[in-house]
Amino acid sequence: MTKEAEVNTQSTTSDPDSGAPEAAVKDRSARYWIGFDLGGTKMQCTLFDESLKQIGSRRRRTKTELGVEGGLDRIAATISKVLDDADVLPSQLAGIGIGCPGPVEWSKGVVRVAVNLGWKNVAVGKYLEGKFNCSVTVLNDVDAGVYGEYAAGAAKGARTTVGIFPGTGIGGGCVYDGQILRGKHLTCMEIGHTKINGSPRPGGTGMAGTLETEASRLAVAGELAKLAYRGEAPNLFKTAGTDLGAIRSKTIAESIAAGDKNVERVVEDACEMIGYAVANTVLMICPDVIVLGGGLVEAMPDRFVKAISKYAKKNVFECYRDEFEVRAAKLGDDAGTVGAAAWAQKVRQQSS
Amino acid sequence: MTKEAEVNTQSTTSDPDSGAPEAAVKDRSARYWIGFDLGGTKMQCTLFDESLKQIGSRRRRTKTELGVEGGLDRIAATISKVLDDADVLPSQLAGIGIGCPGPVEWSKGVVRVAVNLGWKNVAVGKYLEGKFNCSVTVLNDVDAGVYGEYAAGAAKGARTTVGIFPGTGIGGGCVYDGQILRGKHLTCMEIGHTKINGSPRPGGTGMAGTLETEASRLAVAGELAKLAYRGEAPNLFKTAGTDLGAIRSKTIAESIAAGDKNVERVVEDACEMIGYAVANTVLMICPDVIVLGGGLVEAMPDRFVKAISKYAKKNVFECYRDEFEVRAAKLGDDAGTVGAAAWAQKVRQQSS
Amino acid sequence: MTKEAEVNTQSTTSDPDSGAPEAAVKDRSARYWIGFDLGGTKMQCTLFDESLKQIGSRRRRTKTELGVEGGLDRIAATISKVLDDADVLPSQLAGIGIGCPGPVEWSKGVVRVAVNLGWKNVAVGKYLEGKFNCSVTVLNDVDAGVYGEYAAGAAKGARTTVGIFPGTGIGGGCVYDGQILRGKHLTCMEIGHTKINGSPRPGGTGMAGTLETEASRLAVAGELAKLAYRGEAPNLFKTAGTDLGAIRSKTIAESIAAGDKNVERVVEDACEMIGYAVANTVLMICPDVIVLGGGLVEAMPDRFVKAISKYAKKNVFECYRDEFEVRAAKLGDDAGTVGAAAWAQKVRQQSS
Amino acid sequence: MTKEAEVNTQSTTSDPDSGAPEAAVKDRSARYWIGFDLGGTKMQCTLFDESLKQIGSRRRRTKTELGVEGGLDRIAATISKVLDDADVLPSQLAGIGIGCPGPVEWSKGVVRVAVNLGWKNVAVGKYLEGKFNCSVTVLNDVDAGVYGEYAAGAAKGARTTVGIFPGTGIGGGCVYDGQILRGKHLTCMEIGHTKINGSPRPGGTGMAGTLETEASRLAVAGELAKLAYRGEAPNLFKTAGTDLGAIRSKTIAESIAAGDKNVERVVEDACEMIGYAVANTVLMICPDVIVLGGGLVEAMPDRFVKAISKYAKKNVFECYRDEFEVRAAKLGDDAGTVGAAAWAQKVRQQSS
């Protein structure tokens, strides 16, 4: 039973065969970058040239049932396919950037805990370096997405940006003064797990009343299923019944458009909670751009940007109100691969 | 009616007269730094040599009743006195670092809002540059203190440190990877104003249930005054009665030592709240060292370090638990001047 | 799409035909009482003799789509059928007691607001008096159920009892010193709508953090659906998926028995909240017996009684701890009809 | 150090000597009632005739340092003095009603726990019956006050009334359908200890977020002392400084009148909390009159009645909104003695 939308596993690159004739005159001195986005249900692998222009891409199911070794093999196989698709040799790879779920030990390229993959202490970096003989940068998947928005999307030009992505949980990432914000060894900005109110509902760390327990798409869907059950969200009920799995972002947006006032209120409440988290973030880190992303935001970008901005600005000191802007993400599903490749390139530049 | 302890306004430098004979052979090529800590009730000005060794210092009442111009004059006069005390010429000043309360527009050297001074948009940097003809670095006072602890105190050697100082409010500061963490224009890490629970008590920004409303020394004293009033804190009542102004940090520590169980519980509750804020900070920024300071912590350092560490570690993911350490500040009242001077020196080095 | 279990619409009386031969010698001087339980999805009508022995009963769908008039007709028809089944003449009716959902104006026999029926200000009493020419007592359905438990079930012998029935909402009723507790005109003990914590979730009156928003079966099911969605309640997920409508009381009990630790925790949390409501009730009214009922309690009576009792006793003054006992209801679905008939009889006795 | 206002210990009766000449023709068949109000700091004893007209009264310090026996003796001596003052013989006493703090075992005339007296399980009834050879009715002091308001004050004519008296704690009492609402053995309506929000501050039973921890005069004073300390309540600070003991009801009212906006807000917040408790009470018991009393309410009756009424009506179902009225108490300090005597008389009538 798949919880997320069926993913398109087709290649988005142009037909590899049609590219064959060009291969003859291929410039083998050209260098390329892989940006890889490893998620719990799907993985996306994109090939970029030195200017970060997208050359080719593939998206596939993650198949967590394969376990750690099988999963690593599948990652490597996907990279190989994308290289093949574009007729690029592994030796032409300048580097790989791979965003992985959960806290990552960035200095060693190790995924510490990825609950949705079932991984613990997996040395992704070392494995891929062995396979492709190039430098590999392992980062957190949300950091990758936020770096993507910073490098080429909604946060371009920002000094500092924090990204907040409500989904099953709420992912967060931060680019501080051009660098991904992180700890001595681990990635951070786990904003979804920060405490923001007095609700007794426990989050992932056991701490109660976190941003995630109060305002994730799943938290919203939970409230909406109850409304549907009680007959207080008739349009939503017509489309989705009372099944959490059927209450998708689009369904929610449509039921509001169709006049479900209570659904609108629940979404507004979630925005208030995210607004508190943004206020906390501004008070602590003062990013000049906050990027909102994920399916729920994509389905109603104006509503989320406007409401969250309102609540955030209301709850910071006056002098901070004009210091930040809330924006909707621009790159959609590509943010992760773009960011991973761009960050890998930046790390390479900084270390040389 | 003074709310804070009577401050010692005497110079802590050696007798200026006794230094006079040495002046004849004084090396006028030596360069010096001023570290200035401007608070709502007192100001402290310390002279350092190039190696940041303390040469002389003065502490005086701030006298907020003097207004902005009078206040600036008093700052300048204090600097001049400290220079005179040590027989240092203004032309020997390499730079001044001054920590000021409230959000500071660091890029322009402007104090934006300092409620306890009654200041708004005061160009401290420009004023002092005019007076002393040297570079002036204006920073937030708590940032200065935390940078002091980072440069020469409890957080020496840390990659990243966040300082939390519970007092009338709760001050915060952060040194991230060697730099004071800040926004595009303004200083930040206003951790005291971040929301951490569902209490309806509004804090400084209007947002309710903030770290400051729940766990400042003043919040603690408010709870204790009620205990004293109801006869539930007999030792505290004997010493301090029911007057908030008389419930000092030392009094609180003594009443716990004398057996006031309810006082102990209130302090424990405050530690739990600060623990949540530390957990939020670790999840977001992952500092390797958290420094706790201020009078209340100084009166019971072990109790605070132990309890806050316990609550913080309980509420983050397991993999973060060994990534940070909670420590008590080491420099006491000198942290601000040391940090201001050290940061001014660092800014100079980085810009050259 | 039916939200509640398919109800058995068969008569539970003995076959009316088989009783026919006895009719000849029927004692027409015998007097009877009707106890009627009108719910949002089903109605139950039971005939009692003077000693409140059950003679016959029918249960039918309520069919709210019939509207007010159609609904009243269906009630009358059901009573007539039950009388026919038992070969009792309308003239033999001593009285009718009918429990109706929502606040009832007991003095006038008017249902004020019954959201699940779509009724507003319906004069049930007058209508039935006209039809059956006997005295009619209209009461709140949960009051009826609690009076049933007081008269013949778990609260027999109590001076005062409060009943709490978690379902889609949380119903409450109170028998104080032998009388149903009520206001000057309206029924009350709407305990599900009382505020007990700081949750921002609004309840039926708009007030947030009520017993119902935090601890109803629906609130529990909402939390459980999220657990199932995240893979944190594998047994529940296997049986019920992520559909609120499929997460029944029995399913919940079974998933706990099968080892779903997180499901157990959610139920425990609900018990804690109900425990607070019981503590509030004891502090205010000091009932000697608290009766817990409804499907969720019936599926796990020992767990609910034990946990709620623990939390309630912990949160009252010591001297109240031995003054009350928490018990599981005994009469199940019959409590409403038994209580309605018994209360009608008592009202008659008191007024004569 | 006295926490409450210095009490007037003078007799309020007319000079006993001046009454002497009338004694000669005294009607010794006349019967009298004593109403006694026993508080933690003062006791008041009033003599009433059969029509409950006040004959004489005395108010004295309670002197808790006398212990149980000394305390009981002081009560008896005070009654004797009031009798002597009015030249009434003990044999003319029809009965004594005495309101005592804390839960009272009304059936046995025993004070169970009176924290402010330092009493536990004191058989006040038996002691006074022995001394005065008449029937003695022991009740809770707040119940007495509410019964007084019901019998002769603001709640006259009500079917059911609940009284709420914010002071150091928050007292509550209820007269339901003409009878003091109570448990099988103990008095109740301890509304101050019921949970109403998510505040972590523990109340008297250990339960957190109770009406008392959030909205008592002491809770209000605690918030105000902090405002005064921070310079946010200048008028209050001028009069009372930062001492809880000096922040009296009158001071609070005056500082609002003088323009302290923050003081007004804190009082409004307390009214909101009391409004929730009233809403809870209406939903549970549906009293037609809510009586507010105590010094804080007396200092600003219109403000409290209006604000509490607003919040209470907002948070109940629409049909309850016109079913209750919030009123200020009328009898002031006399409510307790009037109520104790009136209740004693009623108990006598009912048992005969």
Side-chain angles (χ1 to χ4, degrees):
Chain A
M1 230 165 292
T2 316
K3 290 167 196 169
E4 298 286 347
E6 192 59 19
V7 297
N8 176 9
T9 58
Q10 265 197 290
S11 167
T12 60
T13 188
S14 53
D15 180 3
D17 294 333
S18 67
E22 297 178 50
V25 293
K26 199 89 186 185
D27 174 12
R28 290 300 177 190
S29 73
R31 305 281 278 167
Y32 295 90
W33 295 85
I34 284 287
F36 202 103
D37 185 7
L38 177 63
T41 47
K42 63 184 202 306
M43 50 173 68
Q44 179 161 359
C45 176
T46 303
L47 184 72
F48 297 89
D49 66 13
E50 282 279 15
S51 65
L52 291 181
K53 213 193 88 188
Q54 184 174 326
I55 305 302
S57 188
R58 275 187 178 264
R59 189 184 294 189
R60 305 172 77 189
R61 290 273 190 81
T62 297
K63 295 200 176 169
T64 55
E65 64 273 22
L66 297 172
V68 173
E69 277 189 52
L72 288 172
D73 286 349
R74 191 168 172 86
I75 292 168
T78 306
I79 294 174
S80 294
K81 276 203 182 118
V82 168
L83 292 176
D84 284 353
D85 287 346
D87 189 23
V88 166
L89 300 177
S91 60
Q92 289 181 277
L93 272 184
I96 296 170
I98 177 166
C100 303
V104 165
E105 191 165 351
W106 57 270
S107 52
K108 296 190 179 165
V110 171
V111 169
R112 289 291 286 267
V113 190
V115 177
N116 51 0
L117 295 177
W119 284 15
K120 222 170 166 174
N121 294 315
V122 176
V124 181
K126 214 165 168 182
Y127 172 85
L128 291 178
E129 279 164 11
K131 282 279 179 188
F132 295 97
N133 199 27
C134 68
S135 80
V136 177
T137 303
V138 183
L139 64 168
N140 170 271
D141 58 349
V142 191
D143 279 337
V146 176
Y147 195 79
E149 294 290 341
Y150 165 79
K156 217 169 162 175
R159 176 182 182 271
T160 295
T161 187
V162 168
I164 300 179
F165 296 79
T168 302
I170 294 190
C174 176
V175 178
Y176 176 79
D177 202 10
Q179 306 289 327
I180 290 178
L181 186 93
R182 53 197 178 169
K184 194 169 178 179
H185 309 107
L186 301 186
T187 57
C188 46
M189 195 45 68
E190 295 279 353
I191 199 168
H193 298 286
T194 60
K195 183 170 176 59
I196 50 145
N197 77 5
S199 154
R201 291 187 280 192
T205 70
M207 186 155 63
T210 67
L211 179 59
E212 195 165 300
T213 63
E214 304 305 297
S216 65
R217 195 203 62 225
L218 187 57
V220 166
E223 292 308 302
L224 297 184
K226 290 188 282 184
L227 287 179
Y229 189 93
R230 286 197 304 254
E232 292 170 24
N235 294 296
L236 183 74
F237 184 68
K238 246 179 281 165
T239 335
T242 58
D243 189 343
L244 274 201
I247 301 178
R248 306 295 186 75
S249 300
K250 220 182 134 191
T251 328
I252 298 172
E254 286 166 359
S255 77
I256 292 178
D260 279 347
K261 286 293 167 203
N262 289 313
V263 174
E264 197 172 8
R265 180 189 52 70
V266 167
V267 168
E268 180 80 10
D269 288 351
C271 288
E272 183 178 352
M273 295 300 145
I274 298 174
Y276 290 135
V278 171
N280 279 1
T281 303
V282 168
L283 290 162
M284 288 174 78
I285 299 178
C286 199
D288 34 319
V289 176
I290 304 283
V291 176
L292 302 174
L296 197 54
V297 172
E298 276 171 31
M300 296 168 274
D302 291 349
R303 176 182 294 276
F304 272 82
V305 166
K306 205 173 153 188
I308 290 172
S309 186
K310 176 184 73 179
Y311 289 111
K313 289 186 190 273
K314 192 182 155 192
N315 288 298
V316 295
F317 287 112
E318 205 188 341
C319 64
Y320 288 113
R321 275 179 207 152
D322 295 333
E323 294 294 317
F324 70 98
E325 210 180 308
V326 178
R327 298 181 190 159
K330 275 191 180 162
L331 305 186
D333 286 346
D334 290 332
T337 50
V338 170
W343 179 245
Q345 205 179 46
K346 171 125 179 189
V347 167
R348 178 66 164 284
Q349 287 161 0
Q350 289 184 149
S351 68
S352 66
Chain B
M1 232 165 292
T2 318
K3 287 168 200 168
E4 296 286 347
E6 191 59 20
V7 298
N8 177 10
T9 59
Q10 265 195 291
S11 166
T12 59
T13 189
S14 51
D15 181 4
D17 294 332
S18 70
E22 299 179 49
V25 293
K26 198 86 187 188
D27 173 12
R28 290 302 177 188
S29 72
R31 306 282 280 167
Y32 295 89
W33 296 85
I34 285 287
F36 202 103
D37 186 8
L38 177 63
T41 48
K42 62 183 204 304
M43 50 174 66
Q44 180 161 356
C45 175
T46 301
L47 184 72
F48 297 89
D49 67 13
E50 284 278 14
S51 66
L52 290 182
K53 214 192 88 188
Q54 184 173 327
I55 305 301
S57 188
R58 276 186 177 264
R59 190 184 294 189
R60 307 172 75 188
R61 291 273 192 81
T62 297
K63 295 200 175 168
T64 55
E65 63 275 20
L66 296 172
V68 172
E69 277 190 51
L72 289 171
D73 286 349
R74 192 170 170 85
I75 292 169
T78 306
I79 294 174
S80 295
K81 274 200 184 120
V82 167
L83 293 174
D84 284 354
D85 288 347
D87 190 23
V88 165
L89 299 177
S91 60
Q92 290 180 275
L93 273 183
I96 295 171
I98 178 167
C100 302
V104 165
E105 191 165 351
W106 58 269
S107 52
K108 295 188 178 168
V110 171
V111 169
R112 288 292 285 267
V113 190
V115 177
N116 52 359
L117 295 176
W119 284 15
K120 224 174 163 173
N121 294 317
V122 176
V124 181
K126 214 166 171 182
Y127 171 86
L128 290 178
E129 278 165 10
K131 281 279 176 184
F132 295 97
N133 199 29
C134 69
S135 78
V136 176
T137 303
V138 183
L139 64 167
N140 170 270
D141 58 349
V142 191
D143 279 338
V146 176
Y147 195 79
E149 294 290 342
Y150 166 78
K156 219 170 158 174
R159 176 181 183 270
T160 294
T161 186
V162 168
I164 300 179
F165 296 79
T168 302
I170 294 191
C174 176
V175 178
Y176 176 78
D177 202 10
Q179 307 289 327
I180 289 178
L181 186 92
R182 53 196 179 170
K184 191 168 180 181
H185 308 108
L186 301 185
T187 57
C188 48
M189 195 42 69
E190 296 278 353
I191 199 169
H193 299 286
T194 58
K195 183 168 177 60
I196 50 145
N197 77 6
S199 153
R201 292 186 280 192
T205 70
M207 186 156 61
T210 67
L211 179 58
E212 195 165 298
T213 64
E214 304 306 294
S216 65
R217 195 204 62 228
L218 188 57
V220 167
E223 293 307 301
L224 297 185
K226 291 188 280 184
L227 287 179
Y229 189 94
R230 285 196 304 254
E232 292 170 23
N235 294 295
L236 183 75
F237 184 68
K238 248 179 278 169
T239 335
T242 58
D243 190 344
L244 275 201
I247 301 179
R248 306 297 186 74
S249 300
K250 221 182 132 189
T251 328
I252 298 172
E254 286 166 359
S255 78
I256 292 178
D260 279 348
K261 285 292 167 204
N262 289 313
V263 174
E264 198 172 5
R265 180 190 51 72
V266 166
V267 168
E268 180 80 10
D269 288 352
C271 288
E272 183 179 349
M273 296 300 146
I274 299 174
Y276 290 135
V278 171
N280 279 1
T281 303
V282 168
L283 290 162
M284 288 174 77
I285 300 177
C286 199
D288 35 319
V289 176
I290 304 283
V291 177
L292 303 173
L296 197 53
V297 172
E298 276 172 31
M300 296 168 275
D302 291 348
R303 177 181 295 275
F304 273 82
V305 166
K306 206 172 151 188
I308 291 172
S309 187
K310 176 185 71 180
Y311 289 111
K313 288 185 191 272
K314 193 182 154 191
N315 288 297
V316 295
F317 287 111
E318 206 188 342
C319 64
Y320 288 113
R321 276 181 205 151
D322 295 333
E323 294 292 318
F324 71 99
E325 210 179 308
V326 178
R327 297 180 191 161
K330 274 191 181 163
L331 304 186
D333 287 345
D334 290 331
T337 51
V338 168
W343 178 246
Q345 207 180 46
K346 170 123 181 191
V347 168
R348 179 67 162 285
Q349 287 161 0
Q350 290 184 148
S351 68
S352 65
Chain C
M1 233 166 291
T2 317
K3 288 166 196 168
E4 298 286 347
E6 193 58 20
V7 296
N8 177 9
T9 59
Q10 265 197 290
S11 166
T12 59
T13 189
S14 52
D15 182 1
D17 294 333
S18 67
E22 298 179 49
V25 294
K26 198 91 186 184
D27 172 12
R28 290 301 177 191
S29 72
R31 306 281 280 167
Y32 295 90
W33 295 85
I34 284 287
F36 202 104
D37 184 8
L38 177 63
T41 46
K42 64 183 202 306
M43 51 173 67
Q44 180 162 357
C45 176
T46 303
L47 183 72
F48 297 89
D49 66 14
E50 283 278 15
S51 65
L52 290 181
K53 215 193 88 188
Q54 185 173 325
I55 304 301
S57 187
R58 277 188 177 263
R59 188 183 294 187
R60 306 172 76 188
R61 289 276 190 81
T62 297
K63 294 201 176 167
T64 56
E65 65 274 20
L66 296 173
V68 172
E69 277 189 52
L72 288 172
D73 286 349
R74 191 169 172 84
I75 291 169
T78 306
I79 294 173
S80 295
K81 274 200 183 121
V82 168
L83 291 176
D84 284 354
D85 288 346
D87 189 23
V88 165
L89 299 177
S91 59
Q92 290 180 276
L93 273 183
I96 297 170
I98 177 166
C100 302
V104 165
E105 192 166 351
W106 56 270
S107 53
K108 295 190 178 164
V110 171
V111 169
R112 288 293 285 267
V113 191
V115 177
N116 51 0
L117 294 177
W119 284 15
K120 225 174 165 173
N121 293 316
V122 176
V124 181
K126 215 166 167 179
Y127 171 85
L128 291 179
E129 278 164 11
K131 282 277 177 188
F132 296 96
N133 198 28
C134 69
S135 79
V136 176
T137 303
V138 183
L139 65 167
N140 171 271
D141 58 348
V142 191
D143 279 337
V146 176
Y147 195 78
E149 294 290 343
Y150 166 79
K156 217 170 162 173
R159 175 182 183 269
T160 294
T161 187
V162 168
I164 301 179
F165 296 79
T168 302
I170 294 190
C174 176
V175 177
Y176 176 78
D177 202 11
Q179 306 289 327
I180 289 179
L181 188 92
R182 52 196 179 168
K184 193 170 177 178
H185 308 107
L186 301 185
T187 57
C188 47
M189 195 44 69
E190 295 278 354
I191 199 168
H193 298 285
T194 60
K195 184 169 176 59
I196 51 145
N197 78 5
S199 155
R201 291 187 279 192
T205 70
M207 186 155 63
T210 66
L211 179 58
E212 194 165 300
T213 64
E214 304 305 297
S216 65
R217 195 203 63 224
L218 188 58
V220 166
E223 293 307 302
L224 297 185
K226 292 188 280 183
L227 287 179
Y229 189 93
R230 285 196 306 253
E232 291 169 27
N235 294 296
L236 183 74
F237 183 69
K238 247 179 280 167
T239 334
T242 58
D243 190 344
L244 275 203
I247 301 178
R248 307 294 186 78
S249 300
K250 218 181 134 191
T251 328
I252 298 172
E254 285 166 358
S255 78
I256 293 179
D260 279 347
K261 284 294 166 202
N262 288 312
V263 174
E264 197 172 8
R265 181 190 50 71
V266 167
V267 168
E268 180 81 9
D269 287 352
C271 287
E272 183 178 352
M273 296 300 145
I274 299 173
Y276 291 135
V278 171
N280 279 1
T281 303
V282 168
L283 289 162
M284 289 173 77
I285 299 177
C286 199
D288 34 320
V289 175
I290 304 283
V291 176
L292 303 174
L296 197 52
V297 173
E298 276 171 31
M300 295 168 276
D302 291 348
R303 176 181 295 275
F304 273 82
V305 166
K306 205 172 153 189
I308 291 172
S309 185
K310 175 183 74 179
Y311 288 112
K313 290 187 189 269
K314 192 181 154 191
N315 288 298
V316 295
F317 287 112
E318 207 189 340
C319 64
Y320 289 113
R321 275 180 207 151
D322 296 333
E323 294 293 318
F324 69 99
E325 209 180 307
V326 179
R327 297 183 191 159
K330 275 191 181 165
L331 305 186
D333 287 346
D334 290 330
T337 50
V338 168
W343 179 244
Q345 205 179 45
K346 170 125 180 188
V347 167
R348 178 66 162 285
Q349 286 161 358
Q350 289 183 148
S351 68
S352 65
Chain D
M1 229 165 294
T2 318
K3 287 166 197 168
E4 297 287 346
E6 191 59 20
V7 297
N8 177 10
T9 59
Q10 266 195 291
S11 166
T12 60
T13 189
S14 52
D15 181 3
D17 293 333
S18 69
E22 299 180 48
V25 295
K26 199 87 187 186
D27 174 11
R28 290 301 177 188
S29 73
R31 305 282 279 167
Y32 295 89
W33 295 84
I34 284 288
F36 202 104
D37 185 9
L38 176 64
T41 49
K42 63 182 206 305
M43 49 174 68
Q44 181 161 355
C45 175
T46 303
L47 183 72
F48 298 89
D49 66 12
E50 283 278 15
S51 66
L52 290 181
K53 214 191 89 189
Q54 184 173 327
I55 305 302
S57 187
R58 276 186 178 265
R59 189 184 296 189
R60 306 171 77 188
R61 290 274 191 80
T62 297
K63 295 202 176 164
T64 55
E65 63 274 22
L66 296 173
V68 172
E69 277 189 51
L72 288 172
D73 286 349
R74 193 170 170 84
I75 292 168
T78 305
I79 295 173
S80 295
K81 275 201 184 121
V82 168
L83 291 176
D84 284 352
D85 288 347
D87 189 23
V88 165
L89 299 177
S91 59
Q92 291 180 275
L93 274 183
I96 296 171
I98 178 166
C100 302
V104 165
E105 192 166 350
W106 57 271
S107 53
K108 295 189 178 166
V110 171
V111 169
R112 288 291 285 265
V113 191
V115 177
N116 52 359
L117 295 176
W119 284 15
K120 223 172 165 171
N121 294 316
V122 176
V124 181
K126 213 167 170 181
Y127 171 85
L128 291 178
E129 278 164 11
K131 281 278 176 186
F132 295 98
N133 199 25
C134 69
S135 79
V136 177
T137 304
V138 184
L139 65 167
N140 171 270
D141 58 349
V142 192
D143 279 337
V146 176
Y147 194 79
E149 294 290 343
Y150 166 78
K156 219 170 159 172
R159 175 181 183 271
T160 295
T161 187
V162 167
I164 301 178
F165 296 80
T168 302
I170 294 190
C174 176
V175 177
Y176 176 78
D177 202 10
Q179 307 289 327
I180 290 179
L181 187 92
R182 52 196 178 170
K184 191 168 179 181
H185 308 107
L186 301 185
T187 58
C188 49
M189 195 42 70
E190 295 279 353
I191 200 170
H193 298 286
T194 60
K195 184 168 177 61
I196 51 146
N197 78 5
S199 154
R201 291 187 280 192
T205 69
M207 186 155 62
T210 66
L211 179 58
E212 193 165 301
T213 64
E214 304 306 295
S216 65
R217 194 202 65 226
L218 188 58
V220 166
E223 293 307 302
L224 297 184
K226 291 188 280 184
L227 287 178
Y229 189 94
R230 285 195 305 251
E232 292 170 22
N235 294 296
L236 183 76
F237 183 67
K238 249 180 277 167
T239 335
T242 57
D243 190 344
L244 274 201
I247 301 178
R248 306 295 186 77
S249 300
K250 219 181 132 191
T251 328
I252 297 172
E254 285 167 359
S255 78
I256 292 178
D260 279 348
K261 285 293 167 204
N262 289 313
V263 175
E264 198 172 5
R265 179 189 52 70
V266 167
V267 168
E268 180 80 10
D269 287 352
C271 287
E272 183 178 350
M273 295 300 145
I274 299 174
Y276 291 134
V278 171
N280 279 1
T281 303
V282 168
L283 289 162
M284 287 173 77
I285 299 177
C286 198
D288 35 319
V289 176
I290 304 283
V291 176
L292 303 174
L296 197 54
V297 172
E298 276 171 30
M300 296 168 275
D302 291 348
R303 177 181 293 277
F304 272 81
V305 166
K306 205 173 152 187
I308 291 172
S309 186
K310 176 183 72 179
Y311 288 111
K313 288 186 192 272
K314 193 181 155 192
N315 289 297
V316 294
F317 287 111
E318 207 189 341
C319 63
Y320 289 113
R321 275 179 207 153
D322 295 332
E323 294 293 318
F324 70 99
E325 210 180 306
V326 178
R327 299 181 190 161
K330 274 191 180 163
L331 305 186
D333 286 346
D334 290 331
T337 50
V338 168
W343 179 244
Q345 207 180 44
K346 170 125 181 187
V347 167
R348 179 67 163 283
Q349 287 162 0
Q350 291 184 148
S351 67
S352 64

